[in-house]
Amino acid sequence: MARFIAAVKRVTPWAAQNADGAIALGLAIVVGVLGIMPDEIFGKQGDQIQSQLVSAATLVILALVATALLRDRARQAPVEETITSGALAELPMRLTRLEEIETLVTGTRKALDSLQLVRVLGSKQEITQSHAEARQDTTRWSFKGGTGTYLRAVTLPECVAAARRIKRHLTIRIEIIDPSNLEVCEAYARYRRSLSDSPDATGETWTTDRVRKESYATILAAFWHRQRYGLLDIGVGLSSTMTTFRWDLSASRLIMTVEDPNMAMTALAGTFYYENCDTELRLSFEQARRVPLEMYNRVPLGDEPTLEEVQDLFERIGVPLPRSYNGRDVVDVARKALRAVDPYGAPPDGT
């Protein structure tokens, strides 16, 4: 009995909320019961009475079903109107918004893909490997930096040797500090010393005199290599301002280094960063004081340039060596030009 009462309590709220459906269901059950009851129960005219009861109950059921349908339709009308006038009316605007979001996502994905191709190099070994990959099969190289020590030691001779092996044209653009500008040379030397007073991987400390000799050496190396490879198109620009970065750009990638020999950044060709740095290097080179490399055949340089050849070369191109330089200084410039020490290599013995 208790279970029956509990079941009635559970059903009662639903029946009250759906009275018409509940009544129709109850009548349908009654009709079903009447239909299977024997005619004798209703007396002599049991068949007629039974038919009348079933017909009446059926009409009531149909009326209740119709009432339920009309009520449901009345409830759905506001919802349909809201959907038609609201959501559907806003559909074109929302579709346009979705297209804008899709365009934004596509652009963001492309930007992220480009950024993924800019990575940090965290060791000398990684920097050396990246330079080797940049030199591989390249037809051009652009450099902008201080004095071009690594350029003379590795990049220039390696690129020229690779081009000569397959008789390939090679274009090189170099922008370095103007050695005749004492102010910028002193500023660069002070900056390098402020980072470290100890000798670097070349075994030397940075002084104004060293800055000037390194820049003179880069100019001399450019002429020396130009005279020895006819398919080399090389240019040197002298800058009156210093930079704390060094850019090396080949046909395949850009490498940007700083004074820390264990830190650098690289970007592949075709990325946003690569293309903009390429433009920057071109414009900067055009504004630099140009060294007349077209005069390379005016002063032939031997495999081991003599003092007279070196001095005569710098006089003819309008970048004379300081009058204070003696024979040892000129030899030092020639040594740095053709036997530069790799700044990313192991320090010399005893340093």
Side-chain angles (χ1 to χ4, degrees):
M1 188 65 179
R3 292 182 178 179
F4 176 76
I5 294 174
V8 170
K9 288 182 179 180
R10 288 195 299 269
V11 172
T12 300
W14 175 86
Q17 187 176 2
N18 302 274
D20 47 4
I23 294 172
L25 177 61
L27 289 174
I29 294 173
V30 171
V31 170
V33 172
L34 291 174
I36 63 175
M37 289 179 65
D39 296 340
E40 292 77 9
I41 295 177
F42 299 97
K44 295 180 179 181
Q45 297 180 345
D47 187 21
Q48 184 178 359
I49 294 173
Q50 186 181 24
S51 298
Q52 290 176 352
L53 289 173
V54 171
S55 299
T58 302
L59 290 174
V60 173
I61 292 172
L62 291 175
L64 290 173
V65 171
T67 302
L69 291 174
L70 291 174
R71 185 192 62 182
D72 290 341
R73 182 169 295 179
R75 289 177 179 176
Q76 292 175 2
V79 177
E80 293 177 354
E81 183 179 357
T82 301
I83 293 174
T84 304
S85 61
L88 292 180
E90 296 177 359
L91 186 58
M93 184 184 301
R94 293 187 178 184
L95 290 176
T96 302
R97 181 59 177 166
L98 285 175
E99 291 178 358
E100 293 176 355
I101 293 174
E102 184 179 358
T103 302
L104 179 61
V105 170
T106 302
T108 303
R109 184 181 294 111
K110 289 181 179 179
L112 290 175
D113 291 341
S114 296
L115 288 175
Q116 288 176 355
L117 298 178
V118 179
R119 66 186 183 92
V120 174
L121 307 175
S123 68
K124 291 182 180 180
Q125 292 74 20
E126 281 190 293
I127 296 173
T128 300
Q129 178 62 29
S130 186
H131 273 278
E133 293 172 356
R135 290 192 301 269
Q136 186 175 5
D137 299 327
T138 190
T139 57
R140 69 186 185 100
W141 195 281
S142 295
F143 171 83
K144 178 181 178 180
T147 59
T149 304
Y150 184 82
L151 180 83
R152 294 192 314 274
V154 181
T155 303
L156 186 55
E158 290 285 344
C159 286
V160 171
R164 180 182 283 113
R165 280 194 297 270
I166 58 176
K167 298 177 177 61
R168 180 180 59 210
H169 182 270
L170 178 63
T171 300
I172 295 181
R173 294 292 178 264
I174 304 168
E175 184 179 345
I176 57 174
I177 288 174
D178 188 344
S180 62
N181 189 322
L182 282 177
E183 185 177 351
V184 69
C185 291
E186 289 173 357
Y188 187 74
R190 284 196 304 271
Y191 171 71
R192 296 298 296 266
R193 286 197 307 271
S194 70
L195 300 179
S196 176
D197 286 332
S198 304
D200 59 17
T202 66
E204 299 181 67
T205 56
W206 283 96
T207 63
T208 302
D209 183 60
R210 180 188 173 187
V211 174
R212 301 185 75 187
K213 286 181 178 179
E214 298 281 358
S215 290
Y216 280 124
T218 299
I219 298 172
L220 178 60
F223 275 95
W224 191 87
H225 284 285
R226 177 64 183 86
Q227 290 182 6
R228 279 157 180 75
Y229 187 52
L231 297 180
L232 174 61
D233 176 12
I234 188 169
V236 177
L238 305 179
S239 176
S240 59
T241 59
M242 60 160 282
T243 175
T244 59
F245 297 106
R246 290 185 293 270
W247 288 271
D248 285 277
L249 187 142
S250 73
S252 64
R253 69 185 61 210
L254 164 77
I255 305 169
M256 190 179 74
T257 54
V258 292
E259 303 309 331
D260 185 345
N262 293 299
M263 293 297 295
M265 184 170 66
T266 183
L268 298 181
T271 61
F272 174 82
Y273 191 73
Y274 175 95
E275 297 300 334
N276 280 272
C277 285
D278 189 14
T279 302
E280 169 67 20
L281 295 180
R282 289 174 182 272
L283 293 177
S284 182
F285 183 79
E286 290 177 1
Q287 298 175 66
R289 174 190 173 195
R290 199 68 56 86
V291 175
L293 261 297
E294 64 276 5
M295 297 177 61
Y296 71 93
N297 57 353
R298 301 283 183 87
V299 184
L301 299 171
D303 292 339
E304 296 291 337
T306 64
L307 274 68
E308 292 76 14
E309 289 173 346
V310 174
Q311 290 174 329
D312 191 21
L313 171 68
F314 283 105
E315 287 290 340
R316 285 177 177 268
I317 64 175
V319 191
L321 295 173
R323 295 185 180 276
S324 60
Y325 275 18
N326 54 31
R328 180 176 298 178
D329 294 317
V330 177
V331 170
D332 197 21
V333 170
R335 176 184 61 80
K336 289 177 178 292
L338 304 180
R339 295 183 176 82
V341 178
D342 181 358
Y344 293 110
D349 295 338
T351 61

